[in-house]
Amino acid sequence: MFIWDFAANPVLNALRDWFYSQTVGLLGEFFTQMGGMGVELFDLAWVQAVVLFFSRLAWALFGVSLVVSGFECGIEYASGRADLKQTALNVLKGFLAVSLFTTVPVRLYALSVSLQGMLSAGLTGSGQSIGELGSDILAELESGGVLEPSGQVQWGIGGNPVMLLFCVILMAYAVIKVFFSNLKRGGILLIQIAVGSLYMFSIPRGYTDGFVQWIKQVIGLCLTAFLQSTILVAGLMVFRDHALLGLGLMLSAGEVPRIAGAFGLDTTTRANISSAVYTAQAAVNTTRTIVQAVAK
């Protein structure tokens, strides 16, 4: 018993902790790979064709908007209220937006997925090999840090098997919820890029509110991709020592989109789609009016 308490039991506990960390690290790597699949979605030929179509549509709307903004500036100039500097600035904003709206969201999403993978690996120590673990155990044995009796695993929930089963169910619920969120994130980003093209008619004319909201949605999507998996992995690491606190962290990972939406970083596409459709209808109606006026 003396040898077990002061040598064998601490070594087995260190091995148990290492195995748990590697398992959680594997889950974090799995979510990173899922996020990478969302990035790789934009390498597919048909997706690139869709993005190219909406890019051409955005350039066409930008061209029409330049003509409309020119007419509006001429009308204001005739009444003495024209602001050429602001008009030129709006055109520059539109040019930058139409040039970057198909590339910057994908790069930003790839960066968030990469950061999430590196942070998850740092939290779990998943890159540590069994040899490095053995070296750490020997070093702690030599320093006397492990030569203390260790008790049973302290989950913080007692020994009730019903409570343990309840915690496992909540853990599985949190993991599955984050799994499905990661699964659809690449498609949501593609939809957001498609919707963003419809705002290119408004920016050169000085109406940027809808496009600013679109930018917030893209930022919210990337922030959610980073925070959800990271908080889930952190909760799994805390669950080993404090089960209820770890469950709280894991369940809070599913609330990231709602909290981001409360601060203006809404990750849904419903509101943006209706606003973009209204913008597109305004573009069609304005173009029809200009064509009829020129024909007369």
Side-chain angles (χ1 to χ4, degrees), residues 33-222:
Q33 293 294 331
M34 288 189 62
M37 290 172 58
V39 179
E40 294 173 358
L41 176 68
F42 293 88
D43 294 333
L44 300 177
W46 69 270
V47 175
Q48 292 179 351
V50 171
V51 172
L52 180 62
F53 168 76
F54 284 103
S55 177
R56 296 289 186 266
L57 176 62
W59 278 106
L61 291 175
F62 175 72
V64 174
S65 181
L66 285 180
V67 177
V68 174
S69 62
F71 275 102
E72 291 176 346
C73 183
I75 294 173
E76 292 180 354
Y77 186 80
S79 60
R81 294 179 292 128
D83 189 351
L84 297 178
K85 181 180 178 180
Q86 186 62 40
T87 302
L89 184 60
N90 291 334
V91 171
L92 179 60
K93 290 179 181 178
F95 177 77
L96 292 176
V98 77
S99 301
L100 300 176
F101 85 100
T102 58
T103 57
V104 171
V106 180
R107 300 293 179 85
L108 187 61
Y109 180 67
L111 176 62
S112 64
V113 171
S114 177
L115 290 177
Q116 178 265 318
M118 290 188 292
L119 187 56
S120 296
L123 287 174
T124 60
S126 58
Q128 186 183 30
S129 64
I130 190 66
E132 294 173 344
L133 174 65
S135 300
D136 292 343
I137 292 175
L138 291 176
E140 292 183 2
L141 284 171
E142 291 177 357
S143 63
V146 182
L147 294 179
E148 297 178 359
S150 301
Q152 299 297 322
V153 179
Q154 300 298 321
W155 299 97
I157 56 175
N160 191 338
V162 177
M163 187 64 180
L164 181 60
L165 178 62
F166 178 71
C167 290
V168 171
I169 293 174
L170 289 180
M171 181 193 299
Y173 168 77
V175 172
I176 292 174
K177 190 173 183 179
V178 175
F179 169 78
F180 282 108
S181 297
N182 285 333
L183 192 62
K184 62 183 181 181
R185 199 159 282 136
I188 291 177
L189 184 61
L190 178 61
I191 295 173
Q192 287 180 338
I193 291 176
V195 171
S197 64
L198 301 179
Y199 288 106
M200 301 307 154
F201 177 77
S202 302
I203 300 175
R205 300 172 59 212
Y207 303 105
T208 59
D209 292 343
F211 187 70
V212 169
Q213 184 62 32
W214 179 85
I215 293 175
K216 290 181 178 180
Q217 283 192 326
V218 173
I219 295 175
L221 180 72
C222 298

Side-chain angles (χ1 to χ4, degrees), residues 108 185 188 192 209-228 254-272:
L108 187 61
R185 199 159 282 136
I188 291 177
Q192 287 180 338
D209 292 343
F211 187 70
V212 169
Q213 184 62 32
W214 179 85
I215 293 175
K216 290 181 178 180
Q217 283 192 326
V218 173
I219 295 175
L221 180 72
C222 298
L223 180 66
T224 303
F226 172 75
L227 282 181
Q228 267 196 328
E255 300 298 320
V256 172
R258 184 181 63 83
I259 296 173
F263 288 91
L265 301 177
D266 190 8
T267 58
T268 61
T269 57
R270 288 172 294 184
N272 238 16

